[in-house]
Amino acid sequence: MYDARFHSTHKGATPKDMRILPRKIILVRHAESEGNISSLAYTFTPDPQVPLTDRGWGQARAAGARIKELMEKENKPYRLYFYTSPYKRSLQTYQALAECFSKGQIAGQQEEVQLREQDFGNFQDGEAKQKEKAERLRYGRFFYRFPHGESGADVYDRMTIFEDHMIRDINAGRYGNDTSLVLVTHGLALRVFLMRWFHWTVDQFLEVFNPPNAEPLVLERIPADEVGELEQQDWERGMAPWVHTKALYRLTDETRPILRGCSDEMCIAALNPLDNPGHDDPPY
């Protein structure tokens, strides 16, 4: 009863025709929030309700203008589909981004709870939270679980679920050739998204810093004739399905410096299972 065609890692799940893949996947950490100004905000405001500052609204609108410039540089029709964290600061960032585009340029918007911030607990005791963060440094930042909250590893698990669903939607042809995805999320969640996408180790993840607020990071689709050693004729002969969808995107040279600590080899996934001798099947 198993139909491998619908499994994201099966060779038939990656479309042969790259035109049905989103042109870009743009990641945006929310703009400056009240919590970025003072951690005391979390002592009396629920984390999901912390809003943007006035400066943050301006940052978000500026980010929308940069994304618009990026999309129009190609001189092609385009549409944007937004995935957003349900936290107020992310939804407000989305609202400001969307102001820069016409209704026809926005394909849709979808709240995704899995894109939320790492859970640090409920109302935060400022003094206790400082002690917990010091303890986290001794224990290990990725695996330390805050009392009543999450560890970085917990965020990784839910991000895996989100990416699996998103890849299935991509492979099923949900987005047309003129569509790009914009994910509005949080600093650590954004890094974990990239960790899962590019298969970073825990040590590699710990070397990377959060990007600044409202600075778009762009994953671009790799043209068929540039996919590593696979030439255009290889795609036509059917080798393309052996390349996982995630490996068809890379972090752009222009936005790579925004992600401090991210080396060149961490900005693209392995393209060809033949690069991993000894494996009979693609090492997904």
Side-chain angles (χ1 to χ4, degrees):
M1 299 298 293
Y2 173 69
D3 192 337
R5 292 174 302 168
F6 296 97
H7 193 278
S8 64
T9 63
H10 182 260
K11 65 178 182 179
T14 303
K16 291 183 181 180
D17 186 353
M18 288 188 65
R19 290 176 298 175
I20 72 172
L21 300 176
R23 283 159 53 185
K24 291 179 174 59
I25 300 173
I26 303 171
L27 308 174
V28 183
R29 180 188 178 192
H30 64 80
E32 181 186 81
S33 73
E34 296 289 351
N36 294 134
I37 297 299
S38 173
S39 60
L40 291 177
Y42 302 112
T43 65
F44 54 83
T45 304
D47 197 354
Q49 295 301 318
V50 173
L52 295 184
T53 62
D54 289 341
R55 181 170 179 262
W57 279 100
Q59 288 178 337
R61 293 187 183 98
R66 288 197 295 276
I67 294 173
K68 185 179 182 68
E69 180 182 6
L70 171 69
M71 299 307 301
E72 294 185 349
K73 186 183 300 183
E74 297 179 348
N75 198 28
K76 296 178 182 178
Y78 66 89
R79 297 190 306 160
L80 300 176
Y81 190 91
F82 289 85
Y83 286 102
T84 64
S85 157
Y87 279 31
K88 188 171 186 176
R89 52 191 180 273
S90 293
L91 292 174
Q92 289 179 330
T93 299
Y94 157 70
Q95 293 168 10
L97 293 173
E99 291 176 5
C100 298
F101 303 94
S102 67
K103 289 185 178 180
Q105 291 172 326
I106 298 179
Q109 180 258 345
Q110 180 173 325
E111 279 191 31
E112 283 291 346
V113 175
Q114 291 156 334
L115 290 177
R116 68 188 184 277
E117 176 63 287
Q118 179 181 6
D119 191 346
F120 293 97
N122 299 313
F123 288 108
Q124 297 179 20
D125 180 311
E127 184 176 344
K129 193 58 61 181
Q130 290 303 315
K131 292 180 180 178
E132 291 167 9
K133 289 182 177 180
E135 183 180 57
R136 178 177 61 171
L137 292 177
R138 291 188 291 111
Y139 187 88
R141 288 189 294 125
F142 186 75
F143 294 107
Y144 179 83
R145 180 179 286 115
F146 286 94
H148 310 294
E150 289 182 303
S151 66
D154 293 326
V155 179
Y156 181 95
D157 291 343
R158 60 173 157 89
M159 196 61 70
T160 296
I161 297 172
F162 169 77
E163 288 191 16
D164 283 352
H165 282 289
M166 191 180 81
I167 291 296
R168 287 190 178 96
D169 282 346
I170 289 173
N171 289 349
R174 181 180 181 185
Y175 312 105
N177 184 45
D178 62 348
T179 303
S180 292
L181 306 181
V182 182
L183 278 60
V184 185
T185 182
H186 304 260
L188 183 134
L190 187 154
R191 283 190 292 138
V192 170
F193 178 94
L194 292 172
M195 177 188 185
R196 187 67 185 88
W197 191 276
F198 291 128
H199 305 289
W200 295 349
T201 65
V202 172
D203 286 342
Q204 286 176 316
F205 170 81
L206 293 174
E207 291 294 324
V208 179
F209 291 80
N210 282 348
N213 296 102
E215 288 283 351
L217 286 165
V218 182
L219 300 179
E220 62 182 357
R221 192 179 69 191
I222 302 174
D225 58 356
E226 293 182 19
V227 182
E229 298 178 358
L230 296 179
E231 303 294 342
Q232 180 67 41
Q233 61 182 1
D234 294 324
W235 288 81
E236 295 170 355
R237 291 203 309 266
M239 289 185 66
W242 289 99
V243 181
H244 195 283
T245 305
K246 291 181 180 180
L248 301 177
Y249 292 87
R250 63 190 172 198
L251 197 63
T252 64
D253 292 337
E254 292 76 17
T255 60
R256 192 177 305 174
I258 296 172
L259 203 62
R260 286 196 300 138
C262 184
S263 63
D264 291 347
E265 60 270 18
M266 293 167 63
C267 297
I268 190 168
L271 291 167
N272 192 341
L274 298 180
D275 294 336
N276 297 272
H279 290 279
D280 294 327
D281 297 310
Y284 302 130

